[in-house]
Amino acid sequence: MTVPRSVAAHRQAVAELLAGATPRGNRRVPLLEALGKPLAVDVYAPLSLPPFANSQMDGFAVRSQDIPDDGGQLWVAAPVPAGAAPAALKAGFAAPIMTGAMIPDGADAVVPIEKATPNSFPDATRRDAVVDVPAVAPGTYVRNTGSDIEKGALALAAGTLLGPAQLGLMAALGLATVEVREPLRVLLVTTGDEVVEPGEELTAGKIYDSNGTLLEASMRQAGLDVVRAGISDDDPASLLSVLHRYTRNTDTPVDLIVTTGGVSKGAYEVVRQAMSGHAVDFLPVAMQPGGPQGLGTFNDVPFLGFPGNPVSCLVSFEMFLRPALSQVVGAPAPRLVRTARLAEPLTSPDGKHQVRRGTVAGDGVLRMEGGAGSHLVHALARANALVQIPIGVTELAAGSEVEVWML
């Protein structure tokens, strides 16, 4: 009897499998197209940020040495709006300056407007205006050139996941495009004589294919390039024909194969039958749902066989493929892991890591959605979290804290 593999061991096995499915190269894309993708190369700052010394707030740019310790009166120079290149500040003058505007040569500090008397900017047409200002130390409210990042410094390292903050930095550096890694291309095949495409007539004994949409959406969200091969029937020769066609296509090669269904120990497990003689193992994982798993290579292409029930399918992706992609490829970002308090008691089977679906409310209370069944798609659609109940925990009381992965 085969001893079930632990969830952690199988996740690592998937990561090791994907290590041989590295992206096919890099491509340069506009910044917003890079959202959620890993950076392909180190990026060095082509300029300093800020590129010039500027004011941290609205106020008066001053020469600190012109102001006595108890404050003093200065003539008002021409104002400095944001975006202007100001003239040098003469001794004995203060220049009205806007937030972000360039500090004039000679000035070394800014007095906030609310600390000046009068505490408002004078009429710009007057040439005899004066302002009383307190003493300030050099550098007060001045953003120095390069205080954020110096020209030539490493801005972002290769492998960095590009989110809004990272793309904002690139834009601030004047970069309109960025080099990202080509996504892995995955062949997704749904199997089963009983499965038909959504929109087709549903005859007796048939069900609509939800796995294809469920997994393709998950894969796209994770940054994969998905190739759909449609639905393969329960004839092993038909499945083999599909797999050979796509793995031998040199124009659009695939980097990974994922099938759904046909991996259990029943009489008509088409994926098991088709993989006979290939380097694919079918083994139990101590997890519910999603215990039966297939893993190996087909025509030297990494292969994953997920169970056919929709929830098992999604849980397999979230527990194994998505984390492995984060580890090996650098994207997507790992799911947010937090704790929540159970609104009701629950039980879990001995010897298995159970993954339930639930909704975490704003107060941190977790309410389960549906039961443990692997067919409960409606309950899955209502959930915002995967509830992790580890091996060895068979009962939990209401109010107990559990780990959840936020979806």
Side-chain angles (χ1 to χ4, degrees):
M1 179 178 177
T2 304
V3 176
R5 176 183 278 174
S6 72
V7 168
H10 193 69
R11 184 182 300 131
Q12 184 57 35
V14 173
E16 292 171 1
L17 179 71
L18 291 187
T22 53
R24 285 164 279 110
N26 303 333
R27 60 176 171 175
R28 185 164 288 278
V29 298
L31 291 186
L32 290 179
E33 290 185 20
L35 181 63
K37 296 178 172 60
L39 183 63
V41 296
D42 291 343
V43 172
Y44 293 88
L47 51 83
S48 293
L49 289 182
F52 51 84
N54 66 85
S55 178
Q56 191 173 334
M57 57 179 55
D58 293 347
F60 290 90
V62 299
R63 294 158 47 100
S64 60
Q65 68 267 33
D66 290 347
I67 308 170
D69 291 344
D70 57 352
Q73 189 176 79
L74 301 172
W75 294 101
V76 177
V80 185
L89 186 67
K90 297 178 182 178
F93 280 79
I97 192 167
M98 310 302 129
T99 301
M102 179 181 287
I103 299 291
D105 285 344
D108 64 356
V110 173
V111 175
I113 192 168
E114 60 269 19
K115 292 186 177 181
T117 304
N119 60 356
S120 60
F121 291 140
D123 184 344
T125 63
R126 289 186 57 183
R127 294 292 179 264
D128 58 350
V130 293
V131 62
D132 286 299
V133 293
V136 289
T140 301
Y141 296 119
V142 174
R143 301 166 176 155
N144 291 318
T145 304
S147 56
D148 189 1
I149 185 171
E150 295 277 2
K151 180 180 178 179
L154 179 65
L156 294 171
T160 299
L161 197 60
L162 297 172
Q166 291 73 32
L167 296 177
L169 170 61
M170 306 276 269
L173 291 169
L175 303 173
T177 61
V178 60
E179 199 168 340
V180 297
R181 296 171 181 168
E182 285 278 5
L184 293 179
R185 182 178 292 128
V186 55
L187 173 65
L188 176 58
V189 186
T190 302
T191 67
D193 284 340
E194 76 282 10
V195 184
V196 298
E197 295 283 4
E200 294 183 1
E201 181 183 0
L202 195 66
T203 57
K206 303 292 186 179
I207 60 171
Y208 286 123
D209 174 30
S210 60
N211 287 351
T213 298
L214 189 64
L215 273 184
E216 181 175 359
S218 298
M219 290 172 172
R220 287 189 178 189
Q221 193 178 62
L224 295 174
D225 182 7
V226 183
V227 177
R228 289 284 291 276
I231 299 170
S232 180
D233 61 26
D234 282 333
D235 180 1
S238 297
L239 177 57
L240 285 170
S241 176
V242 170
L243 298 182
H244 282 304
R245 183 167 73 251
Y246 282 93
T247 55
R248 291 172 177 170
N249 185 340
T250 56
D251 293 331
T252 55
V254 295
D255 306 300
L256 173 66
I257 300 166
V258 175
T259 62
T260 71
V263 297
S264 297
K265 295 183 178 180
Y268 303 102
E269 303 298 333
V270 61
V271 176
R272 272 180 173 266
Q273 293 173 341
M275 292 301 102
S276 178
H278 293 274
V280 176
D281 293 324
F282 294 90
L283 67 161
V285 176
M287 182 176 78
Q288 183 193 59
Q293 296 286 327
L295 180 144
T297 60
F298 179 88
N299 286 351
D300 297 324
V301 178
F303 174 95
L304 294 175
F306 289 163
N309 282 315
V311 177
S312 299
C313 205
L314 187 278
V315 167
S316 297
F317 173 81
E318 291 288 342
M319 296 297 292
F320 303 129
L321 181 51
R322 197 178 193 280
L325 288 168
S326 299
Q327 178 180 333
V328 175
V329 182
R335 291 294 189 193
L336 173 65
V337 179
R338 57 172 293 190
T339 58
R341 301 185 309 279
L342 289 173
E344 68 259 23
L346 59 77
T347 61
S348 181
D350 189 27
K352 290 189 177 182
H353 180 121
Q354 190 179 58
V355 183
R356 295 280 296 272
R357 281 68 61 205
T359 297
V360 181
D363 59 3
V365 173
L366 169 68
R367 290 170 175 80
M368 309 308 293
E369 297 288 357
S374 58
H375 65 292
L376 302 173
V377 184
H378 186 207
L380 176 64
R382 295 195 304 267
N384 67 4
L386 295 180
V387 185
Q388 308 290 337
I389 307 167
I391 286 180
V393 177
T394 57
E395 294 186 22
L396 287 169
S400 298
E401 286 197 340
V402 291
E403 179 183 300
V404 296
W405 293 10
M406 302 304 297
L407 296 175

